[in-house]
Amino acid sequence: MEFHKVGAKPCSSYLFFAILLLFAFLASFADAAVHFHEFVIEAKPVKRLCRTHSTITVNGQFPGPTLEVRDGDTLVIKAINRARYNVTLHWHGVRQLRNPWADGPEFVTQCPIRPGQSYTYQFTIQNQQGTLWWHAHSKWLRATVYGALIIYPKLGSPYPFPMPKREIPILLGEWWDRNPMDVLRLALFTGAAPNISDALTINGQPGDLYRCSSKETAIFPVEAGETILLRIINSAMNEEMFFGVANHKLTVVAVDSAYTKPFATNVIMIAPGQTTDVLLTADQTPARYYMAAHAYNTANAPFDNTTTTAILEYKSAPFSAKKGQSLKPIFPQLPGFNDTATATAFTAQLRSISKAKVPLEIDESLFFTVGLGLINCTNPNSRRCQGPNGTRFAASINNVSFVFPRRNSLMQAYYQGQPGIFTTDFPPFPPVQYDYSGNVPRGLWQPVKATKLLKLKYRSKVQIVFQDTSVVTVEDHPMHLHGYQFYVVGSGFGNFDPKNDPAKFNLIDPPERNTIGTPPGGWVAIRFEADNPGIWLLHCHLDSHLPWGLATALLVENGVGKLQTVQPPPLDLPRC
Ligand code: C2O
């Protein structure tokens, strides 16, 4: 085509422009790929901490397969359930525009896939880049059923940072020396807290500091001088974590599939559900260096205080593992388990890479208290009331302890107009005002169980302030919203002050995320536009708190016309 000749006349330059647009449009389709996968969910023997368990895996792999796609690509994943449990899969952080059917939380957007059955998840990645992940969203299956979801930019568009020489997914996890499903079942029977895990893991391996583990510690070789990208995912069930690499600075470049302004740090804090992409330059003396993670614990409760490790190994190190000798790796300094100052300082540095489209006028201003609670028993200290002082543990948002339906999923009931599955009277603020982070009177410790949803108009501009309560204990609750990316506009300690705190909000370049923790005994404010119709679970990503009811769901109404309306469900959507 002779481009240089066009543009002589104004009308032909319009034509040229139109043709260019058409080409760009077609090219964007030509580039987008469709990835087909089969995920067989099945039990496989997995040996950790000296013992072999029959572990639920995907395709026999633990952690599960890594998905690699580009922005704009479509994924078609047939989930085949060959395990003995009901299962669903969730693509954590994928927006699933108008497509809640592919989101996955059990009894929220679908009924579970029964043993022997299958369901095909089909969805397109739209304007997301970086690292996400996928996990089971049924009971405690996600303890072992999880994997990375890596989203590269569209073909031809570079990273907004120097191209790394290699990329390594780092999945932080938790391992129980028993069947995690039984751990949950026992806890839900007794009403007490579930047992803490026996090990933390990096890519499924506990590392050198645990029994029978050092042979299989993850080792990542690097060339001296090169810069690599670590895609860190906290796929642990119940632990926020500090992560660091001995002697090496980490430069944060993205969180939760959105780029950030780069900043250097010695350590990151990452909550379950979150991802953090960091660049690391191998600029130290060629040797072996530990990367390590341990808990950041904010609750007054037992936690797994062990440390997981992997090894960053310079290929030119004098005694590399390959040469059959072991040089003891250098150990990083991690903050103390309860170092909230370091955690807060880290989180406060996160900024969107450019000016963000934060909603400025708010249509729905919501105030959500989040925290634990205790259900009193008629028969205290009975076998079913082994919680504190003969109670049962619970958790709630605005004093509603969420009960998942069992007869149908919320989304199917909504779509079919089936009454009696849920109500839409979730309170926009707590029913009683009190000193949330202070000394809370005992009479306010018992939440009410219900399946209440919060209705939102399509395109309404929403602000939610999550206020941690000190009921039972203060705690960092990593709040995750399905189907959305939100802006984290502010946070602080103590009670949110609606008069003075909003003036301090960052409405210029706040970070965009899908999961954000409440500071222990504090609050965090998020904003988003409700542009994705459907029912979207909002919950604490600690898997001990979710079954206790630390959840609700947003029902975002359809707008006008097909492009603002939930798609019809796929034909193979499981029925209850
Ligand atoms: Cu990572 Cu409701 O999920």
Side-chain angles (χ1 to χ4, degrees):
M1 221 188 280
E2 294 179 282
F3 285 119
H4 60 279
K5 277 196 183 159
V6 209
K9 284 182 227 152
C11 68
S12 60
S13 86
Y14 285 132
L15 184 67
F16 170 68
F17 191 65
I19 290 173
L20 205 68
L21 263 181
L22 183 70
F23 268 90
F25 185 67
L26 292 177
S28 73
F29 277 100
D31 280 355
V34 183
H35 306 257
F36 294 90
H37 294 278
E38 265 190 11
F39 273 23
V40 180
I41 296 120
E42 57 188 344
K44 273 280 143 82
V46 174
K47 190 174 183 190
R48 293 290 184 280
L49 308 178
C50 324
R51 288 220 299 166
T52 303
H53 293 265
S54 174
T55 298
I56 307 297
T57 67
V58 166
N59 299 347
Q61 289 169 249
F62 170 69
T66 297
L67 296 169
E68 289 179 80
V69 302
R70 287 184 188 280
D71 188 11
D73 287 359
T74 295
L75 283 141
V76 182
I77 296 160
K78 183 171 184 186
I80 302 166
N81 187 0
R82 296 217 181 105
R84 61 191 175 102
Y85 303 109
N86 288 341
V87 72
T88 68
L89 297 178
H90 168 54
W91 319 93
H92 180 116
V94 175
R95 291 234 29 214
Q96 307 287 14
L97 281 166
R98 305 189 298 113
N99 184 21
W101 313 113
D103 193 41
E106 181 180 54
F107 294 115
V108 177
T109 60
Q110 69 166 97
C111 298
I113 309 167
R114 309 282 173 194
Q117 306 283 294
S118 66
Y119 174 52
T120 301
Y121 293 88
Q122 176 162 350
F123 54 93
T124 300
I125 307 289
Q126 288 167 286
N127 292 314
Q128 297 188 271
Q129 287 162 44
T131 308
L132 291 175
W133 60 300
W134 56 268
H135 61 78
H137 213 300
S138 178
K139 303 280 174 52
W140 266 27
L141 284 179
R142 87 167 179 86
T144 58
V145 178
Y146 63 89
L149 167 52
I150 293 171
I151 310 170
Y152 300 111
K154 289 203 157 89
L155 253 186
S157 35
Y159 290 133
F161 44 82
M163 187 69 184
K165 276 278 152 19
R166 57 186 94 219
E167 303 192 0
I168 306 173
I170 305 272
L171 290 134
L172 306 176
E174 256 176 296
W175 180 262
W176 275 262
D177 196 23
R178 59 175 83 189
N179 182 346
M181 291 292 269
D182 294 342
V183 175
L184 176 68
R185 187 160 357 121
L186 180 67
L188 292 183
F189 180 83
T190 62
N195 281 332
I196 57 168
S197 52
D198 298 286
L200 304 179
T201 56
I202 293 178
N203 294 355
Q205 291 296 340
D208 290 357
L209 305 186
Y210 299 86
R211 59 187 187 271
C212 309
S213 300
S214 51
K215 269 213 197 88
E216 274 157 323
T217 300
I219 298 179
F220 307 110
V222 283
E223 216 73 75
E226 70 185 13
T227 297
I228 61 172
L229 179 68
L230 305 180
R231 298 174 177 272
I232 306 156
I233 300 164
N234 189 340
S235 29
M237 298 289 278
N238 297 315
E239 310 282 0
E240 281 91 5
M241 287 196 219
F242 287 118
F243 171 92
V245 182
N247 293 14
H248 289 77
K249 282 250 185 270
L250 308 172
T251 301
V252 177
V253 292
V255 294
D256 296 6
S257 78
Y259 295 121
T260 62
K261 291 197 171 75
F263 67 92
T265 181
N266 290 322
V267 68
I268 69 161
M269 192 282 283
I270 185 166
Q274 295 182 327
T275 73
T276 308
D277 294 355
V278 303
L279 293 171
L280 176 153
T281 300
D283 54 5
Q284 298 298 306
T285 318
R288 308 175 85 210
Y289 298 89
Y290 273 127
M291 44 180 81
H294 75 199
Y296 163 48
N297 175 64
T298 55
N300 181 14
F303 66 99
D304 182 340
N305 63 3
T306 62
T307 302
T308 178
T309 56
I311 297 168
L312 183 75
E313 181 178 87
Y314 284 59
K315 289 183 185 167
S316 52
F319 304 100
S320 73
K322 253 191 270 135
K323 289 162 200 155
Q325 288 178 339
S326 65
L327 175 73
K328 211 162 174 32
I330 300 157
F331 205 85
Q333 247 200 340
L334 293 178
F337 294 121
N338 60 358
D339 190 344
T340 292
T342 297
T344 309
F346 170 76
T347 309
Q349 290 184 77
L350 293 166
R351 299 262 188 284
S352 274
I353 191 162
S354 51
K355 195 172 164 353
K357 291 198 194 82
V358 192
L360 299 177
E361 308 291 331
I362 295 299
D363 304 310
E364 297 285 347
S365 187
L366 307 166
F367 184 75
F368 287 2
T369 53
V370 302
L372 302 186
L374 297 175
I375 305 275
N376 297 326
C377 290
T378 34
N379 219 342
N381 299 315
S382 65
R383 291 198 312 150
R384 303 224 49 193
C385 297
Q386 300 289 309
N389 304 313
T391 61
R392 291 178 60 82
F393 268 114
S396 66
I397 304 180
N398 283 351
N399 210 44
V400 182
S401 181
F402 193 77
V403 177
F404 286 82
R406 317 195 107 248
R407 282 189 294 134
N408 204 353
S409 78
L410 297 171
M411 194 57 215
Q412 281 158 295
Y414 169 55
Y415 202 80
Q416 299 152 359
Q418 178 189 7
I421 301 293
F422 63 86
T423 58
T424 54
D425 54 348
F426 188 85
F429 40 80
V432 195
Q433 286 189 26
Y434 57 92
D435 179 4
Y436 311 109
S437 57
N439 209 338
V440 183
R442 274 278 168 165
L444 295 174
W445 283 34
Q446 180 162 267
V448 176
K449 290 188 183 180
T451 311
K452 293 179 190 290
L453 276 55
L454 188 114
K455 207 185 246 183
L456 292 171
K457 284 253 168 303
Y458 181 76
R459 280 266 154 88
S460 54
K461 299 185 169 64
V462 184
Q463 172 175 298
I464 306 179
V465 174
F466 296 106
Q467 171 73 56
D468 180 33
T469 76
S470 55
V471 173
V472 184
T473 175
V474 296
E475 187 157 6
D476 179 326
H477 295 283
M479 300 303 296
H480 170 48
L481 176 56
H482 287 226
Y484 283 88
Q485 289 270 105
F486 49 72
Y487 293 107
V488 183
V489 295
S491 73
F493 289 94
N495 297 338
F496 175 66
D497 174 354
K499 280 227 171 56
N500 298 309
D501 285 328
K504 297 173 223 151
F505 283 176
N506 175 4
L507 303 176
I508 309 292
D509 60 357
E512 202 182 333
R513 314 205 66 144
N514 61 51
T515 307
I516 188 66
T518 58
W523 56 272
V524 61
I526 66 167
R527 287 188 179 188
F528 60 94
E529 186 178 329
D531 59 358
N532 191 11
I535 292 178
W536 304 104
L537 188 61
L538 167 66
H539 66 97
C540 176
H541 218 285
L542 300 180
D543 264 46
S544 52
H545 297 178
L546 179 57
W548 289 345
L550 218 173
T552 183
L554 307 182
L555 190 166
V556 179
E557 294 176 307
N558 289 327
V560 183
K562 225 178 144 195
L563 291 177
Q564 302 183 355
T565 300
V566 169
Q567 299 177 169
L571 294 173
D572 62 340
L573 185 72
R575 269 177 270 267
C576 281

